[in-house]
Every structure is written in C-alpha cells, then in structure tokens.
Amino acid sequence: MAAAFPEIEKIRYEGPKSKNPLAFRWYNPDEVIEGKTMAEHLRFSVVYWHTFRGTGSDPFGPGTMLRPWDDGSESVENAIRRVKVAFEFIEKLGAPFYAFHDRDVAPEGATLRESHKNFDAVAKVLKDEQDRTGIKLLWGTANLFSNPRFMHGAATSSHADVFAYGAAQVKKCLEVTKALGGENYVFWGGREGYQNLLNTDLKRELDHLAKFFHMAVDYAKKIGFTGQFLIEPKPKEPTKHQYDSDAAACLNFLRSYDLLPYFKLNLETNHATLAGHTMMHELEYAGMQGALGSIDANTGDLLLGWDTDQFPTNLYLTTECMLAILKWGGMGAGGVNFDAKVRRESFEPIDLFYAHIGGMDAFARGLKIAAEMRADGEFTKFVKDRYSTWDSGIGAEIESGKATFETLEAYMLEKGEISPHKSGRQEMLENLFNRYF
Amino acid sequence: MAAAFPEIEKIRYEGPKSKNPLAFRWYNPDEVIEGKTMAEHLRFSVVYWHTFRGTGSDPFGPGTMLRPWDDGSESVENAIRRVKVAFEFIEKLGAPFYAFHDRDVAPEGATLRESHKNFDAVAKVLKDEQDRTGIKLLWGTANLFSNPRFMHGAATSSHADVFAYGAAQVKKCLEVTKALGGENYVFWGGREGYQNLLNTDLKRELDHLAKFFHMAVDYAKKIGFTGQFLIEPKPKEPTKHQYDSDAAACLNFLRSYDLLPYFKLNLETNHATLAGHTMMHELEYAGMQGALGSIDANTGDLLLGWDTDQFPTNLYLTTECMLAILKWGGMGAGGVNFDAKVRRESFEPIDLFYAHIGGMDAFARGLKIAAEMRADGEFTKFVKDRYSTWDSGIGAEIESGKATFETLEAYMLEKGEISPHKSGRQEMLENLFNRYF
Amino acid sequence: MAAAFPEIEKIRYEGPKSKNPLAFRWYNPDEVIEGKTMAEHLRFSVVYWHTFRGTGSDPFGPGTMLRPWDDGSESVENAIRRVKVAFEFIEKLGAPFYAFHDRDVAPEGATLRESHKNFDAVAKVLKDEQDRTGIKLLWGTANLFSNPRFMHGAATSSHADVFAYGAAQVKKCLEVTKALGGENYVFWGGREGYQNLLNTDLKRELDHLAKFFHMAVDYAKKIGFTGQFLIEPKPKEPTKHQYDSDAAACLNFLRSYDLLPYFKLNLETNHATLAGHTMMHELEYAGMQGALGSIDANTGDLLLGWDTDQFPTNLYLTTECMLAILKWGGMGAGGVNFDAKVRRESFEPIDLFYAHIGGMDAFARGLKIAAEMRADGEFTKFVKDRYSTWDSGIGAEIESGKATFETLEAYMLEKGEISPHKSGRQEMLENLFNRYF
Amino acid sequence: MAAAFPEIEKIRYEGPKSKNPLAFRWYNPDEVIEGKTMAEHLRFSVVYWHTFRGTGSDPFGPGTMLRPWDDGSESVENAIRRVKVAFEFIEKLGAPFYAFHDRDVAPEGATLRESHKNFDAVAKVLKDEQDRTGIKLLWGTANLFSNPRFMHGAATSSHADVFAYGAAQVKKCLEVTKALGGENYVFWGGREGYQNLLNTDLKRELDHLAKFFHMAVDYAKKIGFTGQFLIEPKPKEPTKHQYDSDAAACLNFLRSYDLLPYFKLNLETNHATLAGHTMMHELEYAGMQGALGSIDANTGDLLLGWDTDQFPTNLYLTTECMLAILKWGGMGAGGVNFDAKVRRESFEPIDLFYAHIGGMDAFARGLKIAAEMRADGEFTKFVKDRYSTWDSGIGAEIESGKATFETLEAYMLEKGEISPHKSGRQEMLENLFNRYF
Ligand SMILES: [Co+2]
Ligand SMILES: [Co+2]
Ligand SMILES: [Co+2]
Ligand SMILES: [Co+2]
Ligand SMILES: [Co+2]
Ligand SMILES: [Co+2]
Ligand SMILES: [Co+2]
Ligand SMILES: [Co+2]
C-alpha cells in the first residue's frame, strides 16, 4: 500500500526559532523536565474518531474532508486500509499512543455477531501495527451513542434490550482493549441522560447505569483487565442533560453506588467549559478527590454553546493544565489525548499534521512553563504564605480537631475582631504569570 | 406604632374570577389537595433580607426603595421597628413562615460581643411577634458573606481567624434559631469558593469547610437543636466559583466528608439555572438522592448571567416544581421560601404585596395543576409504559442482579438486534402539559 | 399512490374541552378576532426541510425517522413522491401555507444545469398540488449552506466562483418562487460569516454580500417578482459569527448598503435567543423599524447553546409574539412558519401531527389571549399613563423639537429636582399577565 | 498634602528580564513602532471611577478598599484631595490621559445648581493638576445612571423631567470637558433600555434618545467643542436590555436618526463578550464601518455573566486588539482607557499599581507582537491569496458591478461546478500566531 502522506517525513524537533510549520518548536520528546522526559509526562495520544473518521459534517452540511485513502465504504477492507494510514500518521507525528471507539476502527455489522467479527478482524491489524511501530493503545471505548438503537440512552435506555446490547458491546471492547494492551478503558455517556423529564424515570435510569458499571468492573476482574476505568464528564449535547455532567456529578454518582474505588476521570476542556467550569477547576477538583485519570486535550469557544472540539493552542490553557497535572503527581496510566478535530474548512490531509503539531507544541510549552514556575516557586510560596495562619495557633487547633464552636466563640469574643487581612493580589499574580510567556 | 400598611387589609382568597390585584385568585390556604391543605403543602415563607432589608441598589446605583418606617440607621431601635413592620406585612399576606440571616434582623456591632447582644435584643421581639401572630420561623442562617472580613471566604478563608469568627456567628445563630423554634438551619456559602486558582489551596479550603459543618452538627446535637440542616447550592456570584455549585457538587462534598446523614438541600431556581440546570432537574436529582429539603422560590432571566432573584410567576415553572415535590413526598420541614426581591423600579411598599401575592398564586396554581395531572395519571402511565421492558424478562433479570455481561451478550447474540423502539413522544407530552393551563 | 397517513383524518377544531390529541383545542380557522379570521392572522406554514427532509441525525448519530414513503434516494421520483406526502400532510393538518429551500424539494444534480432541471420537474408537481389543494407558498429560498462548495460562505465566500454559483441558484429559485406564487423570498445566510478572523477579510465579504442582494433586487424587478424579500437573522451556528446576527445587525447592514427599502426581516425565536434577545424584543425592534416581515415559529432551550428548533408550546411566548404582531399591524405577506423539527426520539410519522397541532394551538391561544388583553386595554392604559409627562409641558416641548440643552437646563435649574417617580410595577403587570391564562 | 504613595517612585521601563513587579517590562513609551512612539499608539488612560471611586462593593457586600486619603465624605474638600492623589498616581504610573464622569470627580449637590457649582470647583483643580503634570483628559462623560432619578432611564426615561435633568447634566459636562481640553465625549447608556417590555414604549424611548443626541451635537457646535462624540455599546446590566447593545445596534440607531456623521464608538472588551462577540469582532466591524473611536481596555470572564471589568493581561487579546487597531489606522483622538477595577480582595493601594502596570505591559507587548506580525506579512499575505479569485476574472466582474444574476448563471451553467477550494488553514494560522509568543 502506498504511503498516504508521501510528502511528509517524520516530524522533528527543530527548536523555538524554527519557522517550519511541519516541525516541533517545543516538543522535544527526550528532554527531561522534573526528572521525566517530555514523552513520559505528556503521553500524547491521537484519537481515531476525529482524525480518521471525521468527515467535516455539521448540522447544516455534509462532510468536506479529502481523504483519498478512504473509499467511504463500511467494509472491513476499507477499515484495514484506514488502520495503516492511521499508523503511518501517528508514527510520522511521533505520538506514542492512540485511542478508539469500537465502531471507529471496525464497521458495525448487520448483527451483533457480525460486528464482533469485524472488530476482531480489524483488531488483529491494529495489533500488528502496534507491534510494528511501538505505538500503544491509551484507551478503548465502545460507541454507545451513534446508532439509533441508543436514541433513548444505552445503559440508561428506557428499553432493556438496549442495556443488553450495550453490555455485549462493552464486554467485547474490554476484551479487545485488553488484547491490545490498552492502559485504560473509558466511558463517555453521550446518550446517558435525558431530553426531557416528562418522559423520564431519572432514578431508575441511574440505578441501571450503576448496575452497568458494576458489571463492567466484575467482568474486567474476571478477564484480568487491569487498566484504569475512566468516566468522561460532559453536561449536555447530544442530550439536554447528561448524567455525567461534570467531575462532581460523576464522583457523587460513583460514591452513591459504591463505584468510587474502580474509576477515575477523563477530563476534557470543552466539556468543562460547557459545564461552566474552567479546565483547571476540573483538574484541581479531580486531583484533590484522588480521581485525576487522563485528559481529552482540546479547547472550545466560550462564545459558542456546543462542543467545538478544537485543537488546543492557547498557552495559558496548556500551562494551567500542566500546573495542575504536575501538582497532583501526573496522570498515571492516562495521557494527553487530542479529542479534537480539524475545522470543516481545513479539509486537506496536511491540516491533520498542522493541527496535531500545534497541539503538541502548545502542551510541551505549557509543560516547560509550568515546570519553570514550579522551580521558581513564587506561586507556591505565595499560596503557602497566604494560608500561614493555619499553620499554628487557632488555625492549627482547628485543623487538628481540637477546636469546637465553643472554643472558637470564646477565642473571638476575647479578640473582638479578626487580625487584618492581606490582599489576594490577583493582578500581581496575573502579571507574574505573564512573565513566563 | 402606627401601621406601616394602613391601606392594606388582610389579603383574601377571592377565586379565579377576581380582578382585585390585592387578592388571591388561587391560593386558598384551607383547600385540601391530595389530603393536605394548600397551606400545609406550600408552607410559604417571606424572607427578611430582600423584603425588609432590600434597598434596590445594584452595581450601578444606590437604593431606590421607599420604606417610610426605616430611618436607615444601624440601630437596634430601627431593627425592632422593622420587625414589627415585617410581622404586619407577613400577617396581612397570610404567609405562615419567615426566614432570616442574623445580620438582617439585628445590626452588627463594633465587636462580636456587641453583635451577639444586638441579636439577642431583636430576637426577643421576633419571639414576641411570633407568639402574637402564630407566624413561625422556617429557618435561620448566618450572614458570612457581606462583611469585608469574609472577602476571602468564611469557613474557607485563607485566614483562620475568619473561620473562628464564622463559627462564633453560626453558634449564636443556631442558638437563636432554636430559641425561635426554627424548623431548619441553612448554609449558603456565598464567599465559600474562589476568585482565582492561582492564589487558592482548594483542598485545604474544602477540608476546612467540612470541619466547619461537623462542628455545626456537633453543636446542634449538644444544644438539642433538631431542625434540619440545609445547604443551598449556587455556582457563582459573588465568587468566580462557589464550592456548593449545584446539588451534585454539594452531595459529593457531603459524601466525601461523611456529612451526608446530617444535611439536605435548599434548592433555588435562579441558582439552578446559573449552574446550567432546570429547577426541575435539581429537584428530581435531590429527590432521588433523598436530599430534597426546601426551596428558595424565585426565578431568573436565562438571557442574563446573574442572580436576578425575581418573583416566580411562570406557571410552567411552578407546576414543574410542585410535580417534583409531590412526587418525592413533599419537603418535610422545608417550605416555599420567596428568596426574591421586587425590581429596583418597583420601589413603593405596595409592590411588596403585589410581588408576594403573585408568587403565592403562581405556586398555588402550580400545586393544583400538578395534583390534577397526578390524579389523571396520564404522565405517570406514559412513563410506566415506557419502561415496561424492565418489569419482566431481560430487564427484570438485570434489575434483580442476575444478569452479567456474559449472559447479556449471549442474549443479544441470539437476538441479533433489539426489539423495536417506541417514540419518546415529547411533543405529545408537551401538548398534554398545555392542556392543564 | 396510497395515503401516507391513512389513519389520520383532517384535523378538526373540537374546542378546549377536547382530550383528542389529534384535534385542535384552540385553532378554529374561521373564528374572527379583531376583525380577521384566525387563519388570516396566523397564516400557518409548514416547512419542507424539517418536516419532510429531517432525518433526526445530530452531530453524534445518524437519522432515526421512520418515513416509509421515502426510499432515501436522491432521485426526482422520490422527490415527487415526497411532494405528494407533504401535501397530504399539510392538507390534513389544515395549514394554508408551506415554505421550502430549492434543495429540499428537488435533488441536486451533478451539474448546475441538472439541478435546475430537477427543480423544474418537481416544481411542476408542487404547482399541481397547490392547485389541487389550495395550499400556497409562503416563501422560497435557496440552500446556500449545505453543499461543501459553500464551506467558506456563499455570497461572502473567499472564492468568487461560489458567489456566481449562489447567484445562479437564487436566480432560479426566484423564478420558481414567482411561478408558484410565493408571497415572499427569504435569505438565511448560514455560512455568510466567518469561522475565524485571522483568515477573513470582513469588509470585502460584506461588500460582496451587498452586491449579491442588489443583484437579487434587480433580477426580481426584471422578472416582475413582487413578493417581499426577507432576511432571517441568526448570530452563529454553523459559523462562529454570522453577519446577519440579529435584527439590528441586519438593519444596519441594509442601511449601510442602501438596501433597506427592499427588505424586511423573518424573525425566529431560537435565533433571537441565541443572539441574547427575547423574541418579543426582536419583534418590537423590527416593528418600530418598519421591518417586521414574518416569523419562524419555534423555541429553543435557553440552557443549551445551539438551535434546537423545537415546536413552540409555551403560551407566554406565543402570547408575547401575538401581542407584538398585532401591535405592529400584522405581518403583511408573512406568516407563522414552523421552522421546527420533531425530536430525534419522536421518530414516528404521527409525531409530525402532534408537533404541528401543538404549535398551531399554542399560537391560536396566544392570539386569543393577546386580543383579550388588547380589548381589556389594561396594559395599553398602563403604558400610556406611564409616559404621560411626555404629552404636555416640558415633555411635549422636547418631542416637538422646541427644547434645547439650554432651555432644559434653565427648566431644571429652576425646578432643582425632578417631580417624583412612579413605580414601574413589573410584578403587578406580571400578575396581570397571568390572569389571562 | 503628603504623598499618597510615598513608597512608590515613577514606574520605569526595565525591559523583559526585569523581575521588578513595579517596573514595565514591555511598555517603553518612546520606543518607535511603525513610525510612532508606543505612547502615541496606545494613549493610555486611567479611569477615575474605578481607580479613585471604586470601593470594592459587590451585590453581596460593601466596600473593602483601603484608601487612607479618602475620608468617605461627599464633600468638595474630599473631592479635591482625591484629585491630587489621582494625579500623583497617574503621574507615577506615566499614563498620559485620564477619563471621568461628572459625579466621579465632584459630589452631587442637593440641587442641580449646587451640583454644577461643585463640579466647577473641582474642575478648577483638575485644570491645575493637568497643567502641572501635562496629563490630559481623554474624555468626559456624565453619570446618568447611578442616581435613583435615572431608575427608568435618562434620555429614555418614562418621565420627561429626567430627560431635562440629563440634558442639563450633559450640557454642563460638555462645557467642563471643553474647558479641560477633553479630546472626546462619551455616552454610555447604562439605564437607557428596559427591564421589561410590558411597561415600555420602545419606539418612543428611542425617538427621545435620538433627540437627546441631536441636542448634544447642536450644543457642542454652539460652544465650539470639537472633540469626538463616542457611544459605548453594552448589551445588558444594569438593565435587561440596553439600547446600545453592540456596535451594530449603535450604528443602526445612529443611521436611523441621521446621527452617524457625529459619532464613533468606544468599544469595551467585556461589553463585547456580554453581547456574544469577541472584542476583535467589534473592532473589525466598527473599523470597516468607519466608526472605530476608542477602546475601554479590560477583560471579562466568559464563564461569568456580568461585567467583571478586570484588568487585561491576556496577550492573545491585546495582540488581537492591536492588530485590528493598526489595521484600521489607529484610534485618532481615542485611546486605551482602562475601564477596569482591581478585585474586591485586592484592597491595598499598591494593587492599583500592579493592575495598571500589568495592563499597560500587556498592551505594549500586544502592540509589539502585532507590529511584528504585520512586518512579517504572513497573515496579510495569506488573506490576500485566499481572496485572489476576486482580483480578476469573474470576481473582478462582480466587484466592478458588471455582473448580473444572468451573466453569473450563464458563467456557472457553462462551468458546471466551481473550481476547487483551498483549505481555510485555521490550525496552521493559530500555530503561526503562537510563534510570536
Ligand atoms: Co472527549
Ligand atoms: Co468534546
Ligand atoms: Co436563596
Ligand atoms: Co439567588
Ligand atoms: Co429559521
Ligand atoms: Co433555527
Ligand atoms: Co466601559
Ligand atoms: Co464594563
């Protein structure tokens, strides 16, 4: 098979002065930061769905993408050809990981059995390509949202058959993910929610969702799949409301149904902002709850109200992400997964390279800046000082559990008023942040 | 003391045909619906802060309200005069409850001790007026957000003294709430959050917040306060992010810190929508989590981005609220508390009557419509039918815990595809909803 | 050809007590309101695109709709079969109008010439069906947004060929609209805008857009098309920014380029709210600018950020629409066009009937309530009184042009302060509004 | 009078390597860029209202700011003391301009006459300080929104007296602005709009607003004030809807009432985003309409729904602003006016310095980057090439006015389909943008 990108050579690191749009200016995989290489910190992953299956369609028009290697058919042959193009792309790009949905890589068949068979056939080629290139699977997941059978939800469908169908699909996908050495398994519940409450039994649906996750945990144990389970929060779109709306909603659900030990979160920037949170908030929140698993690296447009899934290039964003990730000790088995798509108007194959190079460079630069900030320690010191009243005296008594409402009232009646406050210095800190750019 | 509203007599129920703007058209307190009177269902409560302390100021201009009984001073005398006006108002309106913050009813003193003293002096008059009129206290709460000492938070302040001050204030407010027979105690953490993450230790702040709540629970036990503790979610404003951002965030926090048994939620419409949820969603979610405590009845403007706290008159909204409340068995010790303010341009005292009458009528009508829908049973039956596949066969096997991924895969491989779906019928249900108006 | 909806008879008016979901409860076409029949006021129109071409696809999944009469092919035969179903539907529903895009009714061909030919072939059948049933064309429009050739815009494309293509398409569509007696011609510029400013020459694009509209005006004159030209504002989606973002932006554009005499606006509820306005605002604004042409009747979900195009059932909304429309003297050649689609989960043919019946009833009821409010005159009187200082004295001097800054300063220096204000009475007015429901 | 900021010396340029938080790293006033100094390009202006009158109050709490020079009284003496502090601050900061509302600089009196007198007394000191320091007045404006008399609007009030009062106030403020050599005069219509449409006569209000502006134009002519009139758009807050909602709404209003020749726009970032637009959009739009007058430099938080008026530090934002400003030939008499306030928690005087230094550096850096991009010409060239089909052939025919629908249809029938498109290259351009940071 001829190369799909014959004119592109392996993308190389050329340093900040390079003007080559097909080179890295910041991502230098072997450069060591805080004792680990950039590659180890960032664990970049290319997504199969947007990058190899995205057509450029939107609600007002069909696809636009030029993909000469793809004949548009839903055949296994076409799927296998696509796998080879994908690995050529990922290898030339130099990303160590990829991620897929079952239905991205292999066509759905006329029956479940046929779908399983198709999936097996393509998985074999994925395995071969992984072995050939050393590229690894960051995570697998099952698409339980596209097919009309999932219109009312999958695990939360009003129709029990759909739960069963979803269970069968996840079972298979867990097996394949295990076979391919996948390091995580992700659930994104795009249709797990409701369009309106008038026809919905919310509690019954959530009870079902918990049952589904417990079955997944049980089955993973049974087959010895030791990858990390991840839930990916998103508040809405396609549904009016998705049950996994943000980090807090996911964690409350997991706690309610005794699932917390088995799951972490896969946080996405555009989903955070659709839920009204900054990505840094979601990272900090998940981090402090011990649930920071992985990230879907992209960006949205805060003036638009849907998931634009754009490639992340904003250096403030990537620096904030890396600050939070470094602070909470990294993402373990997770990675920086580009759940992002080229614009409908960026329809040429080379745009895929530009997009990924820009995203990787933006994260590499964010990592370097974050590490520099941490080495300087000015932010850390500021925060430490800001909370210093908690390190001794009344603060320490509260933290240690000695204080009660009565001892605190006595303390304050005696004192009459608090000792003076210090400024929060937001503007100074924002200026300091800019000093690193 | 002369009457503040001499021209207003007790507001009476005159029925739907009345054109008297100072009469109820729907709220008929003794009318029995589903075995309880309207008064028992709705437990209307007037809030002290907006109704007796609201000035009509906004970020672009000072107050506008004409309140001839209020000399504007921060004296105990003025505060006591205000209490009498408040009870005249509530009595004429016919609301059975009221709610307050400590600093609404009594002026803050130069020291904490003086503030306590002022609060005691006014509480005595509140007690007298309660006894005289039979009006009861729905809940008390401490204002831990207005005074500049709370600029960095209260329980989550970077400054330990502020935690102590807040503790002393809540201790006192619990005592007063108990003395006044308050049926609940509410926490709204207006400043418990952050303005930016660069200067914030999020985990340490949340650990402190949990300590604070545990101390409150312990102290309530100690003094025998048996009212219900409630947290009121709100996502933002005045902070960039409030920790108690929505029902799910509150419940995850409560679960994380072993506080769930002691708390329920006080849900507010305008806070729900600022968090991106419908009020009905928050009610259903809290209901199914066993945490539906009370509601702050108001409405926002979804095209504006701040808490407009308007009086609720939308009958779709009030019907949805009452549907959820009836479904989950009512609000127990909670009530329908009008956390709402007249517009800055509605500056005459009589506007307070129009506003509350409109809100009470809207909820009374919502209650009647909801009860009628429930009696007809069309919505209930639709939902029951929609989930009927879960009542036997594979659905029942899943619900009973007999199914596993393996049995479900076997079932679906055999079946090949799900049995056909039924329409969700959203449009038909929306039309049916309109039939009740 | 067999009936597509054999089980459905002509939808009849049965009055408010009817519980028949396939009858009108409020829409009684011959009932006279303010001197015109309901049918004349409302001029209901069914849209071809959502109702006969909508598949139920969304960005996360393909279509779901059951349309047994449609073989899914892009053939003229299929298109003609669809026309017959459409007229059966519209006739049974009792809507007097319909509206289409060129590409909805007839398939695009391999060349422009072939597309023209297809369009002619189908237009002939449309004409026959119009003649047979008496159903009329409210408006035609050309789809200049779906085909990938329009990815960078149509009249505002960076590529001049696309302008030419769009011109050819609009020319043809004007001819067909004229031939079918269409009463208006609409422009919705879904791709006329930009995705980002870095690659966009905004001024050059707007200059081109104005040229395009001038050519359309010239050509209409030439062929004697006397229907009303309408622009339909929308702020975003599919683009980041659409040039025709709201009523004010459209009118400023029209004024800037000397196009105002030839155009009015077709306002859509969901587009108004995406632009941050209420529909009533857009109607009032267009009305007072003499530019209220027609409405696309639907509703959005203000907690979601995209164009959900739901059927309108909210009676507050429909009453506000009809108040504004009656106030500004109706819509002339325009109508109430249901640019709305059944939900993806409402996939059965009968859902199309439920949806339209609900929308028509909601507007009929809104019309009746609005007329009742106008007959009572309480709102009108309130507003008249509120502005009474403008009817004489200093107000009249200002309005008549006699006053200057100097005379006004003299007046106010003399007076020292304004005479007292009156309350805006928003709450009382909202209660009064509810009295009509 | 003792210095208010004794510990602060004149802020100096120390270059990018400086770690001094009280020095400029980028703003080097005499550095020449594109033939003008930075000072000439940027024309920085300090606002009187936020910086010298801001208290740190918000809707949930009173002021927090430490301002030892201000005794809190509404006396002329206090006002004059404040003027001296202001000029000490502006001089030490090195900003060449300032801007004020009448009521910021001088206290409102018991009557209009007394207010005029107060204003004159303070204006004299402003003049002296301007002369002493060389600091100039960028613009004056009248506060027609804070006083309760403006609750229903000023020029658009339902009460004619208020129009007269506002006229008198603007007359005086024009006189003072002229006397102080103000280079512009600004209208921000904070209360010119409505809270609800039920009590509003929108057309009558807009007719009044136009009269008001015409009177202002006439009076300026009469007294020989030759400064530029500017309108500052904002969509909402404090009102539900402000008539001057965005650039397009302002310009349509100006065109409708024959006011366009006399006005330009003062665009504010946070107002642009509240209206759903990027600041760059508003700048480009105003630029291409010949109406770009000045900017209120700040930033908002797109996840919050109110005007946070934060100091701008985002370099993407400042670069985009400067790209648009340079492209449209600068702002003429306008400037970069920091309509921004320190956070409520940044309550120390020194925070004012940090805030302004950060904002000035961010704009200086944005200017340098924008100039570098323009010098390199890569963006310009890309855009030029993207539209190259318009420079000859069919494109040139369209632009020159030779083409008609008929010639274009003929062209396209002949050609059959457009020649192939080029990618919009958004990702490549975003990467290129990042290369400059
Ligand atoms: Co994702
Ligand atoms: Co996404
Ligand atoms: Co509340
Ligand atoms: Co509120
Ligand atoms: Co439309
Ligand atoms: Co629409
Ligand atoms: Co401003
Ligand atoms: Co502002």
Side-chain angles (χ1 to χ4, degrees), chain A residues 149 161 171 194 199 204-205 208 222 252 255 281 285 386-387 391 399 409 411 415 421, chain B residues 149 161 171 194 199 204-205 208 252 255 281 285 386-387 391 399 406 409 411 415 421:
Chain A
R149 88 172 61 84
D161 270 5
K171 173 177 177 291
Y194 58 80
N199 68 8
R204 201 170 190 183
E205 292 201 358
H208 296 164
K222 178 152 188 190
N252 186 50
R255 286 183 198 278
H281 171 82
Y285 187 81
R386 189 167 179 243
Y387 291 84
D391 297 329
E399 288 204 345
E409 183 189 48
Y411 167 80
K415 195 162 183 176
H421 265 304
Chain B
R149 90 171 59 84
D161 270 6
K171 173 177 177 291
Y194 58 80
N199 69 7
R204 201 170 190 184
E205 293 202 358
H208 295 164
N252 187 50
R255 288 183 198 277
H281 171 81
Y285 187 80
R386 189 168 179 242
Y387 291 84
D391 297 328
E399 288 204 346
E406 288 145 303
E409 185 189 47
Y411 167 79
K415 193 159 183 176
H421 265 305

Side-chain angles (χ1 to χ4, degrees), chain A residues 107-120:
Chain A
E108 182 143 11
T111 61
L112 177 61
R113 195 176 304 273
E114 193 181 318
S115 298
H116 276 13
K117 206 178 116 208
N118 292 349
F119 196 9
D120 283 333

Side-chain angles (χ1 to χ4, degrees), chain C residues 161 171 205 208 387 409 411, chain D residues 161 171 205 387 409 411:
Chain C
D161 270 6
K171 174 176 177 291
E205 293 201 358
H208 295 164
Y387 291 84
E409 184 188 47
Y411 166 79
Chain D
D161 270 6
K171 173 177 176 291
E205 293 202 358
Y387 292 83
E409 184 189 47
Y411 167 79

Side-chain angles (χ1 to χ4, degrees), chain D residues 280 283-284 292 319-330:
Chain D
M280 198 180 189
L283 289 164
E284 282 286 327
L292 175 47
T319 300
E320 286 168 3
C321 286
M322 295 315 304
L323 275 175
I325 289 168
L326 292 173
K327 173 176 173 183
W328 294 105

Side-chain angles (χ1 to χ4, degrees), chain B residues 159-366:
Chain B
H159 187 353
D161 270 6
V162 182
F163 183 107
Y165 202 105
Q169 215 176 311
V170 172
K171 173 177 177 291
K172 181 70 186 178
C173 195
L174 275 170
E175 293 159 7
V176 171
T177 300
K178 176 172 188 289
L180 294 176
E183 304 194 10
N184 304 269
Y185 185 89
V186 169
F187 291 93
W188 172 61
R191 303 273 177 203
E192 312 291 24
Y194 58 80
Q195 294 295 5
N196 75 90
L197 283 167
L198 293 180
N199 69 7
T200 301
D201 187 334
L202 188 142
K203 182 176 185 310
R204 201 170 190 184
E205 293 202 358
L206 281 168
D207 288 349
H208 295 164
L209 185 59
K211 282 234 177 298
F212 196 87
F213 285 150
H214 273 295
M215 287 185 196
V217 167
D218 291 345
Y219 189 67
K221 248 179 238 170
K222 178 153 188 187
I223 64 171
F225 174 69
T226 55
Q228 176 66 50
F229 278 111
L230 299 169
I231 293 183
E232 179 173 334
K234 188 180 180 191
K236 56 192 170 190
E237 201 209 18
T239 61
K240 156 71 183 165
H241 174 86
Q242 282 178 37
Y243 293 132
D244 299 329
S245 54
D246 62 6
C250 288
L251 292 169
N252 187 50
F253 170 79
L254 292 170
R255 288 183 198 277
S256 303
Y257 289 97
D258 298 321
L259 283 159
L260 191 60
Y262 313 110
F263 284 82
K264 290 188 171 175
L265 300 179
N266 179 42
L267 297 167
E268 178 177 320
T269 308
N270 207 154
H271 300 177
T273 53
L274 284 170
H277 306 300
T278 60
M279 180 62 165
M280 198 180 189
H281 171 81
E282 289 289 86
L283 289 165
E284 282 286 328
Y285 187 80
M288 83 96 185
Q289 289 263 313
L292 174 48
S294 194
I295 68 170
D296 268 11
N298 65 15
T299 195
D301 181 326
L302 296 191
L303 294 172
L304 301 179
W306 62 93
D307 198 18
T308 63
D309 280 344
Q310 292 175 247
F311 276 86
T313 57
N314 188 300
L315 299 174
Y316 293 97
L317 169 67
T318 58
T319 300
E320 286 169 3
C321 285
M322 294 315 304
L323 276 174
I325 289 168
L326 292 174
K327 173 177 173 183
W328 294 105
M331 296 182 291
V336 173
N337 182 55
F338 288 109
D339 193 359
K341 60 187 178 196
V342 290
R343 300 301 84 196
R344 190 175 186 256
E345 303 77 23
S346 301
F347 57 86
E348 298 179 15
I350 200 172
D351 290 309
L352 294 173
F353 279 96
Y354 292 137
H356 282 84
I357 290 167
M360 289 165 79
D361 255 359
F363 264 90
R365 184 131 184 235

Side-chain angles (χ1 to χ4, degrees), chain A residues 12-51:
Chain A
R12 295 183 194 288
Y13 172 72
E14 296 185 358
K17 290 191 180 154
S18 171
K19 295 196 171 181
N20 177 0
L22 290 168
F24 294 117
R25 300 171 59 250
W26 298 99
Y27 182 57
N28 187 7
D30 300 325
E31 188 176 333
V32 174
I33 312 259
E34 296 197 8
K36 290 199 293 188
T37 64
M38 273 199 183
E40 288 165 342
H41 276 291
L42 294 167
R43 297 167 60 84
F44 285 124
S45 164
V46 171
V47 303
Y48 214 92
W49 50 100
H50 285 315
T51 298

